[in-house]
Amino acid sequence: ELEGTRIDQLVAWAAHTPQATYTQKQLMSLWELSQGAVSNAIAEFIATGYMLAVPREGRQATSYQLTGKSQVIAGLQGADAAPGAAS
């Protein structure tokens, strides 16, 4: 479902602070990518269920968080994860 580069991006986030939420600007720094590349990655992660957009308040930038599915891919949840969590 995801290619190596996208998995590497998930692992980089999960290795840093898996429960944190990040804005697009923060992800640009974490992944060392341009805004356009980060925007494309976010769109793919959301479409495939690996990331969620956190509802924003007021004029704050949209933040994103990893889903449980991402944490399974990144190796943060053991084999005892709920059935279907990795699908």
Side-chain angles (χ1 to χ4, degrees):
E1 197 171 73
L2 290 179
E3 295 186 15
T5 300
R6 293 291 188 240
I7 292 171
D8 291 345
Q9 290 167 331
L10 290 178
V11 170
W13 180 337
H16 191 260
T17 47
Q19 303 303 324
T21 59
Y22 286 101
T23 64
Q24 195 172 73
K25 186 174 182 176
Q26 291 168 319
L27 290 172
M28 288 171 56
S29 177
L30 178 67
W31 293 334
E32 299 178 354
L33 295 174
S34 69
Q35 184 275 328
V38 170
S39 182
N40 289 338
I42 288 170
E44 185 175 343
F45 287 135
I46 289 173
T48 55
Y50 290 94
M51 184 184 291
L52 295 172
V54 177
R56 62 184 183 167
E57 296 180 18
R59 300 176 62 103
Q60 291 180 338
T62 302
S63 293
Y64 302 92
Q65 67 184 35
L66 296 176
T67 65
K69 184 176 180 179
S70 294
Q71 294 180 16
V72 169
I73 294 296
L76 296 177
Q77 293 182 350
D80 60 340
S87 36

